[in-house]
Amino acid sequence: MSDVAIVGAGYVGVPLAQVFAEARVSTVLVDVDAGRIAALNEGESYIEDVPSDQLRPLVESGAISATTDYDALRDADAILVALPTPLSVNREPDLSIVLGAVEEIAKRLRPGHLVVLESTTYPGTTREEVLPLLAATGLQVGTDFHLAFSPERVDPGRTDWTTKTTPKIVGGITDGCKAAACALYERAMDRVIAVSSPEAAELTKLLENIFRSVNIALVNELAQLCDRMGVDVWEVVDAAATKPFGFMSFKPGPGLGGHCLPVDPFYLSWKAREYDFYTEFIELAGKINENMPYFCLDKITRALNSVEKSVKGSTVHLVGVSYKADVGDLRESPALKLVELLRDEGAHVSYHDPHIPALPEYGLESASLDGALESADCVAIVTAHSGIDYDGLADRARLVVDFRNATGANGSLNGRVWKL
Ligand SMILES: NC(=O)c1ccc[n+]([C@@H]2O[C@H](COP(=O)([O-])OP(=O)(O)OC[C@H]3O[C@@H](n4cnc5c(N)ncnc54)[C@H](O)[C@@H]3O)[C@@H](O)[C@H]2O)c1
């Protein structure tokens, strides 16, 4: 018996379960991955934002449990769906995981149930895709059961704003659905903000991600121009950020990663085509951001050329391969694209990442940084994890290409350091 069932025990589901459990809302996590379920029931977390020492007491007290059995949904008052929403090979929305799960939910739907979709998706998904599957049971939305959309806004690794403290947006199919979903989240979250419809809630989440994608593309484009002009883009961005109003600082880098930014905006551009509408900012930002690993290859090529070496036959050691600092998330990481591009050109690639012990699909294991500093022809800083001595790295390596400004001003004083 639990108050809430969360389908999908990943980066979103596990922190959500913790927030509910700590608010004395008992929670069951339902996932198809038996290994993950076994770990959770041992109180062992594989999600960095929820350390095992915080999870274990919640599991031991029974506030959090985990199962692969969808029948656990029957006893819960609310069912939250936090499942992946990837793109297909043709870069179109792939809702098969979510809709497959909704079919399982429909088999267990009963009067009184509240169902909330938390997965990022295009406007219309809750009403046009999820509702018909649940309504086919004969139960009436708004009277027999409630249905809402509430986007998860978690930023893994972030500590100043968390699942609990980040305001929760809620849009219901009916006013009753909205009220039921708000009442649930108000039991655990600091602030709940209702919007008029699931579509508004779905689009809110996409706007947030598109805003980031477009602004990162803007500085990535500027970085490429600065490279030609011989201007330090990092200095320009930092100087602009001193303006107390009207500017928000975004940093350039080797490209977008993670489950959200490289994927979610295209959910909206796909849906927009149904309305004869082309979302040009989204496409342009995608084009610029996807080109960044190619630009990084070009920069490494020129850096090696400056010391009379070719990429072919050179050893290039990547520092940091997860998609952002201090997390072990590899999804869509631009470092993986860079490994492929460098290998295509004949480079010998090695890497160091304290959060990623191995890249089995590339036949690589994280190698010691010390050894690489002596032997690599080029060290490329792709993701700047904390705890690494970047000044020491800049001093000791033969050649450094720094895509994150980790070496800062020290790097630019050293002729062997090339910056993005
Ligand atoms: N990761 C983020 O930073 C983040 C932030 C905000 C929103 N989101 C959105 O939240 C959603 C979930 O993302 P995530 O990062 O938590 O994904 P994830 O890959 O970390 O976790 C998804 C979990 O679902 C499980 N699963 C897959 N199919 C299943 C099924 N049929 N039944 C039950 N479990 C199943 C997987 O085993 C996995 O444990 C996505 O739509 C994503 O865009 C993610």
Side-chain angles (χ1 to χ4, degrees), residues 55 62 83 101 113 177 274 294 342 357:
L55 177 69
L83 291 170
H113 258 149
C177 296
E274 195 179 306
Y294 294 87
L342 284 164

Side-chain angles (χ1 to χ4, degrees), residues 332-396:
E332 310 280 334
S333 176
L336 302 179
K337 184 74 188 173
L338 194 53
V339 171
E340 289 164 16
L341 295 176
L342 284 164
R343 281 186 167 172
D344 285 349
E345 295 300 317
H348 306 294
V349 180
S350 58
Y351 84 96
H352 171 78
D353 191 317
H355 297 271
I356 310 281
L359 294 176
E361 60 278 38
Y362 297 88
L364 292 173
E365 285 183 6
S366 178
S368 111
L369 193 52
D370 278 345
L373 290 184
E374 314 304 334
S375 61
D377 296 301
C378 176
V379 174
I381 302 170
V382 184
T383 298
H385 294 303
S386 53
I388 291 177
D389 174 11
Y390 292 102
D391 288 344
L393 181 155
D395 284 341
R396 287 172 56 203

